[in-house]
């Protein structure tokens, strides 16, 4: 059962994506598919993300020049599991890359002088942070059964910005025309990750 407000928000995001006519869509994911994905990858979709993918599964669009992925939409139904794991690990791998380049979280224990030991501590710490789930390319929502209305985050290492107040707003800003006077007040809510938002 999907939270009704989260379900409405996800359905509205799917409706806006359909109006944008920017990508190929398949029939939405069913409950058995959601269970398989969540069991395989060890997370639960947020209520709005779940409703969005249940309304229709975006699977293909023309990649932008220089894009990280040939197909920016994760194909939760037919996608290669290793490719999906790579996308799921993208945010944490970006932080680990920053650790290799000298970054360190103040709340963690003091940074070991040995780089391999520092990476080991960072991996242990990052195993405790909220899971982020790809929406499109390097845009992510937090995983959390029942949660909804989190801002969509654009993740590139520790360079993290909000790309939408919520999922429906994100679809407008990424794929449609947005009124310059549209409200812009994303409230970062995800522990750990919100500390990086510019």
């Amino acid at each position: 059962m999907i939270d009704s407000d989260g379900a409405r928000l996800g359905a509205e995001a799917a409706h806006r994506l359909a109006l944008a006519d920017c990508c190929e869509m398949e029939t939405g994911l069913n409950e058995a598919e959601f269970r398989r994905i969540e069991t395989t990858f060890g997370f639960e979709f947020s209520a709005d993300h779940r409703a969005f993918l249940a309304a229709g599964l975006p699977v293909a669009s023309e990649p932008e020049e220089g894009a990280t992925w040939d197909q920016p939409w994760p194909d939760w139904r037919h996608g290669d599991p290793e490719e999906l794991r790579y996308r799921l690990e993208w945010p944490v791998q970006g932080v680990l890359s920053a650790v290799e380049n000298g970054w360190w979280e103040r709340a963690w224990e003091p940074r070991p002088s040995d780089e391999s030991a520092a990476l080991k501590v960072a991996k242990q710490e990052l195993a405790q942070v909220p899971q982020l789930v790809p929406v499109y390319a390097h845009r992510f929502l937090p995983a959390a059964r029942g949660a909804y209305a989190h801002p969509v985050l654009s993740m590139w290492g520790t360079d993290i910005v909000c790309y939408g107040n919520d999922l429906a707003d994100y679809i407008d800003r990424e794929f449609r025309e947005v009124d310059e006077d549209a409200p812009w007040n994303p409230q970062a809510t995800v522990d750990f990750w919100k500390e990086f938002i510019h």
Side-chain angles (χ1 to χ4, degrees), residues 46-79:
S46 62
D48 48 355
H49 199 176
R50 176 180 284 265
F52 173 73
L53 296 172
L57 181 66
V59 292
S61 64
E62 290 295 318
E64 296 175 13
E65 186 174 332
T68 307
W69 289 279
D70 289 336
Q71 287 304 327
W73 294 104
D75 184 352
W76 296 108
R77 179 175 285 131
H78 302 296

Side-chain angles (χ1 to χ4, degrees), residues 21-132:
D21 194 27
C22 61
C23 62
E24 182 182 329
M25 302 282 287
E26 290 183 355
T27 303
L29 297 174
N30 61 41
E31 281 305 311
E33 289 174 313
F34 279 116
R35 278 193 303 275
R36 175 188 56 78
I37 294 161
E38 292 173 337
T39 299
T40 299
F41 297 107
F43 72 88
E44 293 184 324
F45 287 101
S46 62
D48 48 355
H49 199 176
R50 176 180 284 265
F52 173 73
L53 296 172
L57 181 66
V59 292
S61 64
E62 290 295 318
E64 296 175 13
E65 186 174 332
T68 307
W69 289 279
D70 289 336
Q71 287 304 327
W73 294 104
D75 184 352
W76 296 108
R77 179 175 285 131
H78 302 296
D80 174 26
E82 289 310 307
E83 167 74 7
L84 291 169
R85 273 187 225 294
Y86 175 78
R87 289 176 184 241
L88 284 162
E89 293 169 2
W90 174 267
V92 166
Q93 290 304 318
V95 173
L96 290 174
S97 178
V99 168
E100 288 178 321
N101 289 301
W103 178 85
W104 194 252
E105 171 60 44
R106 287 174 295 186
W108 296 347
E109 66 182 62
R111 182 185 177 114
S113 56
D114 177 69
E115 186 174 313
S116 63
L119 280 170
K120 182 178 179 182
V121 169
K123 286 177 184 176
Q124 291 168 343
E125 293 288 347
L126 290 166
Q128 308 304 313
V129 304
Q131 172 77 47
L132 296 175

Side-chain angles (χ1 to χ4, degrees), residues 1-2 8 109 120 151 159 182 185:
M1 180 74 179
I2 297 176
R8 278 193 292 276
E109 66 182 62
K120 182 178 179 182
D159 181 12
N185 188 27

